[in-house]
Amino acid sequence: MTLTPGTHAPAFTLPATGGKDISLDGLKGRKVVLYFYPKDDTSGCTLEAQNFQALRPEFQGTDTVIVGVSPDSLKSHDKFRAKYGLSFPLASDEAKTMLEAYGVWVEKSMYGRKYMGVERTTVLIDREGVVAQVWNKVKVPGHAEEVLAAAKAL
């Protein structure tokens, strides 16, 4: 499934860092940046998390919540957050239910080998739970700034 702006974001409830579940319903009334990434503590994913963290005060100023989502475990997320001083929640979707609902759990290919994995994607959701913008196959440099600009305009 491919998400398109103007459609309702799929509902979800996932365990997240900080010992709490995070859900779309619980975030209603605020703008939400869901950024889907393949794996904790890898170079691209670390840079992306650090970029969102650096801009977090500006996102907060626009009443926008940042949530990182990957299939990694909560234990892995906790280590990743602590190592890099991340203060926004990371949600764990080990069952890949949400990843599939958002269309980011896809077949990938590396060196001719096919496998399933997360396609780096960011979804901006408005205060009513409607998809405002989708960035597919994200390239990390400059991405967090682009998402912030869209959140400010929303």
Side-chain angles (χ1 to χ4, degrees):
M1 169 183 167
T2 304
L3 290 182
T4 54
T7 60
H8 280 277
F12 65 87
T13 300
L14 290 174
T17 51
K20 296 182 176 152
D21 284 353
I22 197 159
S23 69
L24 187 59
D25 279 349
L27 297 169
K28 219 167 231 163
R30 299 181 75 189
K31 295 179 269 184
V32 180
V33 170
L34 290 178
Y35 83 91
F36 298 93
Y37 65 99
K39 186 146 185 60
D40 289 338
D41 214 6
T42 55
S43 60
C45 297
T46 298
L47 182 60
E48 186 175 26
Q50 290 172 320
N51 291 346
F52 277 117
Q53 179 64 36
L55 294 174
R56 187 167 181 258
E58 292 181 61
F59 277 103
Q60 286 178 310
T62 67
D63 196 31
T64 304
V65 179
I66 302 166
V67 180
V69 184
S70 88
D72 290 321
S73 69
L74 281 179
K75 184 177 178 182
S76 175
H77 282 345
D78 284 334
K79 279 197 240 177
F80 185 49
R81 278 184 84 207
K83 184 173 180 179
Y84 295 102
L86 306 177
S87 56
F88 54 84
L90 300 177
S92 174
D93 188 12
E94 291 183 271
K96 298 154 189 90
T97 309
M98 179 194 184
L99 299 173
E100 288 174 352
Y102 278 75
V104 301
W105 186 250
V106 299
E107 185 175 81
K108 299 171 102 177
S109 180
M110 189 186 300
Y111 307 118
R113 188 179 132 259
K114 293 190 182 303
Y115 63 99
M116 295 300 288
V118 174
E119 181 173 273
R120 193 181 304 279
T121 304
T122 301
V123 180
L124 177 62
I125 301 169
D126 73 12
R127 297 175 197 281
E128 306 303 315
V130 175
V131 174
Q133 197 162 342
V134 180
W135 292 265
N136 294 302
K137 298 183 181 176
V138 166
K139 302 291 182 232
V140 173
H143 177 63
E145 292 82 358
E146 190 179 341
V147 176
L148 177 60
K152 284 179 177 178
L154 187 58

